[in-house]
Amino acid sequence: MSETVVMSASEVSDFLDEVFPQIHQRGRQYAIEDITPGAARLRYSAGEDNLRPGGTVSGPTIMALADLAAYAVILGHVGRQALAVTTNININYLRKAGPGDLICRARLLKLGKRLAVVDCIITTDQDEDAVIAQASATYSLPEARKA
Amino acid sequence: MSETVVMSASEVSDFLDEVFPQIHQRGRQYAIEDITPGAARLRYSAGEDNLRPGGTVSGPTIMALADLAAYAVILGHVGRQALAVTTNININYLRKAGPGDLICRARLLKLGKRLAVVDCIITTDQDEDAVIAQASATYSLPEARKA
Amino acid sequence: MSETVVMSASEVSDFLDEVFPQIHQRGRQYAIEDITPGAARLRYSAGEDNLRPGGTVSGPTIMALADLAAYAVILGHVGRQALAVTTNININYLRKAGPGDLICRARLLKLGKRLAVVDCIITTDQDEDAVIAQASATYSLPEARKA
Amino acid sequence: MSETVVMSASEVSDFLDEVFPQIHQRGRQYAIEDITPGAARLRYSAGEDNLRPGGTVSGPTIMALADLAAYAVILGHVGRQALAVTTNININYLRKAGPGDLICRARLLKLGKRLAVVDCIITTDQDEDAVIAQASATYSLPEARKA
């Protein structure tokens, strides 16, 4: 697996602002904190409207964070590929999280010519050992790319 | 499996309005069209801010629809249980969908004492044979419930 | 989706005997009963050595049946492609099954140029409404294929 | 999460021999190498009859290893609970593996009163960085257990 970083966290962030402005529609909730070989780290500030009954962060909010983190780590290693698309996500919800900041650590398990598979671990920023959710995401990569 | 409907589509809809008002935060995009033995049917009107690069409905939007449909079919068969929580979702994204109405058909695969498993098929309302996404969702049910 | 059957159940069965003789290593437990547009039906005779603690059919046995059924329905629609490979399986175990015959109904959700996604429902042959397990399987198809 | 080991690798191994002798039906292919807080490590010697077309280890073989490793790490932390049952497995197949020894590292993501979720990474013993498959497994725990 090529684990060479080709776009930094700020370059991926600028690229997302350009091609995917919708992610900031409720304000700037996402930040790409770091892209390192084979990995990315994102922060998400959950607000009131991300809560579900019981006052905890909603499942779709957490899944959206995992999906974005997977996209970010792939972009960081393949470059500007807006059209990489998610083909599968599997997510296990393990603990509840109240309002506050979530951290998602994404790790490339495979970066092939046609598919990339990413493992995502979501925690709060208060305790990065207590896993809130674990997800694996598969992206299909456009044909042009060379592995 | 008990497939007796205990709450109608409009009763589930009213219950969601009460316990889960956040789902309408961008306007009334969701409608529970039908709850029948073992099944539910929901409609979702995707808007501009549900799109991702390429102009198609975003993955988290579709996943949120599947999650809500699973919740609705469970509520329809177990009654007022706001605290049923998702423990796992697996979703396969199969085709792109442009802006417009999505339909989600949810079907109870199992309704046990502790877990319920629901299969969800998402299509557009223009072609209910072309599957946009397929998901399976597992919910954990509070202890008090009697199967 | 092309739902034209290009290999019959007996042709797929003969092809599997040729390229995948290992599936019969414990005797002929699998039979492909039918391949119809977009679907396949397999039968599996679980024996003593497929049981796990509690006397029920083991999870890997059921997963192997789902995987083979997915392979069979794909072969039935794309022809002789021994090298199609599984990239993901998600399986929900819903009910226990004692020794006896299992039925797996596989249904093509998508048959693309590069990926095929199949939904599998496993029951006993005594009650095809009580779902033992539900699986979704993704196969990657070799480049040469034309969708 | 309680990460206290209550059964050692050899105790879990003896317990499996007692309650689950079927896993050795083709000879002793599995060995539990280690159980440490929150984790287990298993070795599997794939033989000729675990191969599929193309000469690589079959998907169900790898899935069975992940399932057993998840069971082993749970037993190591909850004690003699033969009737813990798998409710969900999601597995991503990432690289091919020829005949030889596979290693599965299993890690408890959650050990609750009712559910345990385990992450499994499968590699060959030649290169523990190149992931052959990643799986997450959910087990349902019998009521009696106290978390």
Side-chain angles (χ1 to χ4, degrees):
Chain A
M1 176 167 62
S2 165
E3 293 207 339
T4 308
V5 173
V6 299
M7 289 176 81
S8 68
S10 66
E11 286 168 335
V12 171
S13 192
D14 290 348
F15 181 63
L16 289 175
D17 288 356
E18 177 190 324
V19 299
F20 199 0
Q22 298 93 330
I23 62 170
H24 301 306
Q25 65 203 4
R26 307 182 194 181
R28 238 164 220 288
Q29 294 183 290
Y30 296 99
I32 302 174
E33 295 199 328
D34 214 3
I35 295 187
T36 50
R41 178 187 167 96
L42 274 75
R43 178 178 294 263
Y44 180 80
S45 302
E48 280 303 310
D49 60 357
N50 301 116
L51 304 184
R52 49 151 284 147
T56 57
V57 179
S58 76
T61 295
I62 293 170
M63 182 273 197
L65 171 58
D67 191 34
L68 186 68
Y71 194 40
V73 73
I74 292 168
L75 292 175
H77 291 75
V78 306
R80 303 169 63 92
Q81 279 289 6
L83 296 178
V85 294
T86 314
T87 58
N88 174 267
I89 289 196
N90 183 68
I91 186 161
N92 292 295
Y93 295 103
L94 304 170
R95 289 174 183 78
K96 295 175 179 181
D101 277 16
L102 296 177
I103 299 294
C104 180
R105 287 168 286 158
R107 189 165 53 96
L108 276 173
L109 293 175
K110 176 179 177 167
L111 180 56
K113 260 183 314 199
R114 309 204 294 179
L115 292 178
V117 181
V118 179
D119 180 67
C120 296
I121 297 290
I122 294 100
T123 64
T124 65
D125 71 344
Q126 301 300 306
D127 181 356
E128 294 198 26
D129 288 328
V131 182
I132 303 296
Q134 178 272 334
S136 63
T138 303
Y139 271 73
S140 178
L141 305 175
E143 295 277 0
R145 209 183 83 77
K146 281 144 198 72
Chain B
M1 177 168 61
S2 166
E3 294 207 338
T4 307
V5 173
V6 300
M7 288 177 83
S8 67
S10 66
E11 286 168 335
V12 171
S13 191
D14 289 349
F15 181 64
L16 289 175
D17 287 356
E18 178 190 324
V19 298
F20 200 0
Q22 299 93 330
I23 61 169
H24 301 306
Q25 64 202 6
R26 307 184 194 180
R28 240 164 218 288
Q29 294 183 290
Y30 295 99
I32 302 175
E33 295 200 329
D34 213 3
I35 294 187
T36 50
R41 179 186 167 94
L42 275 75
R43 178 178 294 264
Y44 180 80
S45 301
E48 280 303 310
D49 60 357
N50 302 116
L51 304 185
R52 50 152 283 147
T56 58
V57 180
S58 77
T61 296
I62 293 171
M63 181 273 198
L65 171 59
D67 191 34
L68 185 68
Y71 195 40
V73 73
I74 292 169
L75 292 176
H77 291 77
V78 306
R80 303 168 62 92
Q81 278 289 7
L83 296 178
V85 294
T86 314
T87 57
N88 173 268
I89 289 196
N90 183 67
I91 185 162
N92 292 295
Y93 295 103
L94 305 170
R95 288 175 183 78
K96 296 176 178 180
D101 278 16
L102 295 177
I103 300 295
C104 180
R105 286 168 286 159
R107 189 165 53 95
L108 278 172
L109 293 175
K110 176 180 177 166
L111 180 56
K113 259 185 314 202
R114 308 203 295 179
L115 292 178
V117 181
V118 179
D119 180 67
C120 297
I121 296 290
I122 295 99
T123 64
T124 65
D125 71 344
Q126 301 300 306
D127 180 356
E128 294 198 25
D129 288 327
V131 182
I132 303 297
Q134 178 272 335
S136 64
T138 302
Y139 271 73
S140 177
L141 305 176
E143 295 276 1
R145 207 183 84 78
K146 280 141 197 75
Chain C
M1 176 166 64
S2 165
E3 294 207 338
T4 307
V5 173
V6 300
M7 288 176 83
S8 68
S10 66
E11 287 168 335
V12 171
S13 191
D14 290 348
F15 181 64
L16 288 175
D17 288 356
E18 178 190 323
V19 298
F20 200 0
Q22 298 94 328
I23 62 170
H24 301 305
Q25 66 203 4
R26 307 184 195 180
R28 244 166 214 287
Q29 293 183 291
Y30 296 99
I32 302 174
E33 295 199 329
D34 213 2
I35 295 187
T36 49
R41 178 186 167 95
L42 274 75
R43 177 178 294 265
Y44 180 80
S45 301
E48 279 304 310
D49 60 357
N50 302 116
L51 303 185
R52 50 151 284 147
T56 58
V57 180
S58 76
T61 296
I62 293 171
M63 181 273 197
L65 171 59
D67 191 35
L68 186 68
Y71 194 40
V73 72
I74 292 168
L75 292 175
H77 291 76
V78 306
R80 303 169 63 93
Q81 278 289 8
L83 296 177
V85 294
T86 314
T87 58
N88 173 268
I89 289 196
N90 183 68
I91 186 161
N92 292 294
Y93 295 103
L94 304 169
R95 289 176 182 77
K96 295 175 178 181
D101 277 16
L102 295 177
I103 299 295
C104 180
R105 287 168 286 159
R107 189 164 55 95
L108 277 173
L109 292 175
K110 176 180 177 166
L111 180 55
K113 260 185 314 203
R114 307 203 296 179
L115 292 177
V117 181
V118 179
D119 180 67
C120 296
I121 296 291
I122 294 100
T123 65
T124 66
D125 71 343
Q126 301 301 306
D127 180 356
E128 294 197 25
D129 287 328
V131 182
I132 303 298
Q134 177 272 335
S136 64
T138 302
Y139 271 72
S140 177
L141 305 176
E143 296 276 1
R145 208 183 82 77
K146 280 143 199 73
Chain D
M1 175 166 63
S2 165
E3 293 207 338
T4 308
V5 173
V6 301
M7 289 176 82
S8 68
S10 66
E11 287 168 335
V12 171
S13 193
D14 290 348
F15 180 63
L16 288 175
D17 288 356
E18 176 190 324
V19 299
F20 200 1
Q22 298 93 329
I23 62 169
H24 301 306
Q25 65 203 4
R26 308 183 195 180
R28 245 168 212 287
Q29 294 183 290
Y30 295 99
I32 301 174
E33 295 199 328
D34 214 3
I35 294 187
T36 49
R41 178 185 166 96
L42 275 75
R43 178 178 293 265
Y44 179 80
S45 301
E48 280 303 310
D49 59 358
N50 302 115
L51 303 185
R52 50 151 284 147
T56 58
V57 180
S58 77
T61 295
I62 294 170
M63 182 273 195
L65 172 58
D67 191 34
L68 186 68
Y71 194 40
V73 73
I74 292 168
L75 292 175
H77 290 76
V78 306
R80 303 169 62 92
Q81 279 288 8
L83 296 179
V85 294
T86 314
T87 58
N88 174 267
I89 289 196
N90 183 68
I91 186 161
N92 292 294
Y93 296 103
L94 304 169
R95 289 175 183 78
K96 296 176 179 182
D101 277 16
L102 296 177
I103 300 294
C104 180
R105 287 169 286 159
R107 189 164 54 95
L108 277 173
L109 293 175
K110 176 180 178 167
L111 180 55
K113 259 184 316 200
R114 309 203 294 179
L115 293 177
V117 181
V118 179
D119 181 66
C120 296
I121 296 290
I122 294 99
T123 64
T124 66
D125 71 344
Q126 301 301 305
D127 181 355
E128 294 197 26
D129 288 328
V131 183
I132 303 297
Q134 178 272 335
S136 63
T138 303
Y139 271 73
S140 178
L141 305 175
E143 295 277 1
R145 208 183 82 76
K146 279 143 199 72

